[in-house]
Amino acid sequence: MKKTRSDELKRAAAERAVLFIESGTAIGLGTGSTIRPLLELLASRLATGAVRGVVAVPTSEDTAHRCRALGIPLVTLDEYPELDLAIDGADEVGPRLDLIKGLGGALLREKLVALAAKRFVVVADESKRVRRLGTRVPVPVEVIPFGWSALLPFFEKLGATPTLRRAADGTPYHTDGGHYVVDCRFPHGIKDPAALARALARRPGIVEDGLFLRLAHLAVIAGAKGVKLLRR
């Protein structure tokens, strides 16, 4: 399969981000197309001895499967409740490195891992940068299946256009935790992400949301002019 420009940028960002992984560390590994080249690069560095003694907490079953296939040692967050580093992608990167994540469906585990890490590094290409969160992608909201539709008027009152995420066969999409995802699109972006996050956190039935605010310490952004490091 021919590589696209986007694939090349993701690879470039991964090549820089993998250098943050040091020997003897416990790390969190994210989910999605931006992280896949990083997994390959990490596996290569482990195989050659460039780094040693690294163990990883995967944020999804997909990442866990890929790590096992590549020979990356896995542990659980119960075994390592404090991680040295977490690396993950993002669907949007806004001002102060606030993020929207979760289009890959792993937002709950991704947020748990990000919060457990001493440093959280985001890897993305320049197309993910926005001036206002919510202008390009919806905010994924993970909800329990019971009574999920009763949440739709609440989302609408917050200014969102909510849509239940569905699998390829038309049935409701299920996260690794067995929950549904409602994608909340804001036609003009999100005016106050912090206020939105607070409102979502207070509502019963909502498990987690895809707003990752003031969590990232560093972003590795690949673009036409090379790779940039952005700090919060």
Side-chain angles (χ1 to χ4, degrees), residues 9 89-100 122-137 218-232:
L9 292 177
D91 300 304
E92 282 188 354
V93 180
R96 301 181 300 279
L97 302 190
D98 287 338
L99 315 171
I100 289 179
V122 177
V123 183
D125 65 77
E126 61 185 357
S127 70
K128 303 297 177 65
R129 295 191 67 185
V130 295
R131 293 184 178 180
R132 173 180 279 193
L133 286 182
T135 54
R136 295 187 181 182
V137 301
L218 178 73
V220 181
I221 306 293
K225 296 182 179 180
V227 176
K228 295 180 181 179
L229 301 183
L230 305 179
R231 290 176 171 81
R232 189 175 69 198

Side-chain angles (χ1 to χ4, degrees), residues 10-97:
K10 289 173 182 176
R11 180 79 179 188
E15 288 174 347
R16 180 64 183 85
V18 76
L19 300 180
F20 290 108
I21 301 175
E22 300 176 348
S23 295
T25 56
I27 64 172
L29 292 174
T31 297
S33 60
T34 305
I35 291 300
R36 290 168 194 163
L38 182 134
L39 300 181
E40 296 171 0
L41 291 164
L42 173 58
S44 177
R45 287 173 63 79
L46 287 168
T48 61
V51 291
R52 302 175 185 272
V54 173
V55 294
V57 174
T59 57
S60 66
E61 296 304 316
D62 178 74
T63 296
H65 174 76
R66 293 175 186 275
C67 286
R68 292 188 189 102
L70 291 167
I72 298 173
L74 296 181
V75 293
T76 67
L77 198 57
D78 291 324
E79 294 170 314
Y80 286 81
E82 186 174 90
L83 303 172
D84 299 291
L85 173 72
I87 303 179
D88 205 346
D91 300 304
E92 282 188 354
V93 180
R96 301 181 300 279
L97 302 190

Side-chain angles (χ1 to χ4, degrees), residues 175-195:
T175 67
D176 287 339
H179 303 125
Y180 289 174
V181 174
V182 177
D183 290 312
C184 292
R185 187 170 293 278
F186 291 81
H188 305 292
I190 303 166
K191 183 178 180 180
D192 189 340

